[in-house]
Amino acid sequence: MDDYDVIIVGTGAGGGTLARHLAPSGKRILLLERGDWLPREPQNWLAQDVFADNRYVSEETWYDGAGKPFQPQVHYFVGGATKLYGAALYRLRAEDFGELHHHDGISPAWPIPYDQLEPYYTLAEQLYEVHGARGEDPTEPPSSAPYPFPAVSHEPRIQQLADDLAAAGYRPFHAPCGIRLAERNMPYSACVRCMNCDGFPCAVHGKSDAEVLGVRPALEHPNVTLLTGARVTRLGTNGAGTAVTEVLAEVDGAVESFTADVVVLACGAANTAKLLLESWNEQHPNGLANGSDQVGRNYMFHNSAAVLALSKDENTTVFQKTLGLNDFYFGSKAHDYPLGNIQMVGKSQAPMFRGEKPTETKLAPQWSLERIAKHAIDFWLSTEDLPQPENRVSVDRDGKVTLTYTPTNEVPKRQLYEQLKSMLGKLHMEEDHLFHRFAYMKNDIPVAGVAHQAGTCRFGSDPASSVLNEDCRAHELDNLYVVDTSVFPSIGAVNPALTAMANSLRVGDHLLERLEASVTTAVGGGRTAS
């Protein structure tokens, strides 16, 4: 049995960020990652391998609410889901932290205001080398500093789209991008601005992911240890059930035990809930930290759609994910409720169509798919998914994971799609830029698409309706914390990664104070501090 000051389970946006933040403290920190380092190989950038063959997707099987098995699109590597994310690092809007009324109900307020998280948003943007431009987005929340790097420039076709949107009275903005790009000094740039970024691993470490900018910097400190291939299966507690005393993990086919003063979970919304539910004992018969019956509930993952507009002119854009539009985030003159966010998605490639829509493209000749890809202009639409107790992760005593989910806000999702569709016809994309009839391929994200998963262990001030307190510590266990997106009371309509990073830094400061106080207490009590 090995003893540490802090054990962090998971190395993604929450865990990897926390490890980097705590590393300079000198405390003994153990990172447990169930996966391995994602291999750097030519297949990193091959759409056929990534999108059609699912080379980097876990082989796990989960079940939907009807008992139907599916393969969740999860990735178990050092860096977690950030290894294949699109690196769109948005802040939630300030209003997202308060109660918002939607078409299908209420998005609840967070237990902390935006102002409390703002300094950590700024720090997260610095740590993850975010590119952007303040003042362009009409919904942008207040910030205490500019983006650390200038906005990624639009390529000609996207710049034309931005100009046309502005001429039509909209407020397009440069999307915040977490790529390690030096446009004015490309010989020294880690990012090469290729088309294989959104949804791909980066073979040259040019993406601001949690492995490159979280775990690797943490491991430069001798007090930080990473153990890969370590799947945590259970948390043990003391006799009273008030503290975690043991972390059990399968390593090379054997069960190993680890202990720490503080245990932090960052496994992702589904797997953090799974681990807590599987760690039931006599004091916590319904699962660890689950006296409120809220563990696993309120699962959210964004109501999203990928939309491709087909133009007669080829879209020669390579790195397309540079533009966003939030004019309809909180609604419009025609809509009294929020619709959501519009942004660009990575440039289409023919093999992606076969991977995302195998049935529809099975008989399509390759040349036709390549033509579609060359003429596609690609958008990503996100409408807020509302937390519902019935939308939940559950697990039986054999470890079978069930994800029960019914979509919310389907009407505003459809209206956002119709809004974009109507706009395209007015943006110099009619006769010369689209086929005579508007042609769209629309891909709705199924329940297996869990990239934006959130909820399941939300934090709040009331132990009866939340799992964690305002410091993201379990109400029922003194030394158990959570720092992934499972803590979110609501998800907003923008990508959740930066918020997870910022909140992890906020919790990290609390943990540093706690760890320092424990040393002071130990010394004052006549014991030698470790």
Side-chain angles (χ1 to χ4, degrees), residues 1-4 28 245-248 256-260:
M1 180 181 289
D2 294 315
D3 184 58
Y4 295 85
R28 294 190 65 208
T245 55
E246 187 177 33
V247 177
L248 298 174
E256 294 192 21
S257 175
F258 306 91
T259 62

Side-chain angles (χ1 to χ4, degrees), residues 164-381:
D164 292 342
L165 284 165
Y170 300 107
R171 295 280 301 276
F173 57 90
H174 288 83
C177 295
I179 55 175
R180 308 180 68 205
L181 176 69
E183 289 194 82
R184 297 182 180 180
N185 191 14
M186 287 303 292
Y188 284 85
S189 177
C191 173
V192 298
R193 192 169 177 147
C194 69
M195 68 171 59
N196 301 320
C197 184
D198 193 1
F200 293 84
C202 184
V204 295
H205 288 173
K207 186 187 295 188
S208 298
D209 66 46
E211 175 210 322
V212 175
L213 295 179
V215 176
R216 286 178 180 267
L219 291 178
E220 294 176 4
H221 297 261
N223 53 296
V224 178
T225 301
L226 169 67
L227 184 60
T228 60
R231 186 175 71 88
V232 176
T233 58
R234 191 173 182 85
L235 306 177
T237 70
N238 59 11
T242 57
V244 175
T245 55
E246 187 177 33
V247 177
L248 298 174
E250 291 182 357
V251 183
D252 295 328
V255 176
E256 294 192 21
S257 175
F258 306 91
T259 62
D261 295 334
V262 171
V263 175
V264 185
L265 304 185
C267 315
N271 280 310
T272 287
K274 177 179 184 289
L275 178 57
L276 290 174
L277 292 171
E278 288 188 314
S279 297
W280 61 274
N281 58 28
E282 185 176 350
Q283 291 73 33
H284 301 271
N286 296 319
L288 213 58
N290 197 28
S292 62
D293 191 33
Q294 292 299 304
V295 172
R297 294 189 181 274
N298 304 299
Y299 178 88
M300 302 168 283
F301 76 117
H302 272 150
N303 216 342
S304 298
V307 180
L308 297 88
L310 302 180
S311 169
K312 285 185 178 179
D313 290 345
E314 288 189 9
N315 176 15
T316 59
T317 303
V318 177
F319 187 86
Q320 186 171 253
K321 203 174 176 73
T322 59
L323 182 145
L325 190 74
N326 275 336
D327 292 60
F328 313 104
Y329 195 93
F330 294 115
S332 68
K333 292 181 180 179
H335 304 95
D336 296 331
Y337 41 80
L339 298 188
N341 166 264
I342 299 173
Q343 59 181 279
M344 310 307 295
V345 72
K347 186 70 183 71
S348 292
Q349 300 179 47
M352 295 179 180
F353 302 147
R354 296 199 190 277
E356 294 175 355
K357 289 188 171 288
T359 303
E360 295 88 334
T361 60
K362 182 177 181 179
L363 301 178
Q366 185 67 16
W367 64 265
S368 67
L369 298 181
E370 290 174 353
R371 177 176 173 80
I372 290 173
K374 287 180 180 179
H375 288 260
I377 301 174
D378 309 81
F379 298 90
W380 183 264
L381 313 182

Side-chain angles (χ1 to χ4, degrees), residues 34-67:
R34 67 182 293 172
D36 204 339
W37 299 92
L38 193 148
R40 301 176 69 183
E41 55 188 4
Q43 291 90 339
N44 288 171
W45 282 354
L46 296 179
Q48 175 67 36
D49 290 82
V50 175
F51 284 88
D53 297 340
N54 286 332
R55 183 176 182 84
Y56 302 109
V57 175
S58 167
E59 296 181 356
E60 278 188 314
T61 298
W62 294 357
Y63 296 83
D64 66 16

Side-chain angles (χ1 to χ4, degrees), residues 432-453:
D432 293 332
H433 294 272
L434 287 176
F435 293 117
H436 180 66
R437 293 184 62 188
F438 290 124
Y440 300 92
M441 293 180 64
K442 191 173 69 152
N443 180 35
D444 293 318
I445 306 304
V447 70
V450 296
H452 288 191
Q453 58 179 288

Side-chain angles (χ1 to χ4, degrees), residues 4-86:
Y4 295 85
D5 295 301
V6 181
I7 292 176
I8 302 172
V9 184
T11 59
T17 304
L18 180 64
R20 177 174 178 175
H21 196 56
L22 298 182
S25 69
K27 300 298 181 182
R28 294 190 65 208
I29 299 166
L30 174 65
L31 287 170
L32 294 175
E33 170 56 55
R34 67 182 293 172
D36 204 339
W37 299 92
L38 193 148
R40 301 176 69 183
E41 55 188 4
Q43 291 90 339
N44 288 171
W45 282 354
L46 296 179
Q48 175 67 36
D49 290 82
V50 175
F51 284 88
D53 297 340
N54 286 332
R55 183 176 182 84
Y56 302 109
V57 175
S58 167
E59 296 181 356
E60 278 188 314
T61 298
W62 294 357
Y63 296 83
D64 66 16
K68 181 180 179 181
F70 66 91
Q71 182 182 17
Q73 300 292 297
V74 291
H75 312 96
Y76 298 132
F77 298 102
V78 178
T82 68
K83 290 305 297 178
L84 287 91
Y85 76 161

Side-chain angles (χ1 to χ4, degrees), residues 494-526:
V494 291
N495 311 56
L498 187 73
T499 300
M501 296 163 178
N503 187 59
S504 180
L505 294 168
R506 181 184 71 90
V507 175
D509 271 358
H510 164 76
L511 290 176
L512 289 172
E513 293 179 2
R514 172 179 174 142
L515 293 167
E516 183 59 34
S518 68
V519 171
T520 302
T521 301
V523 173

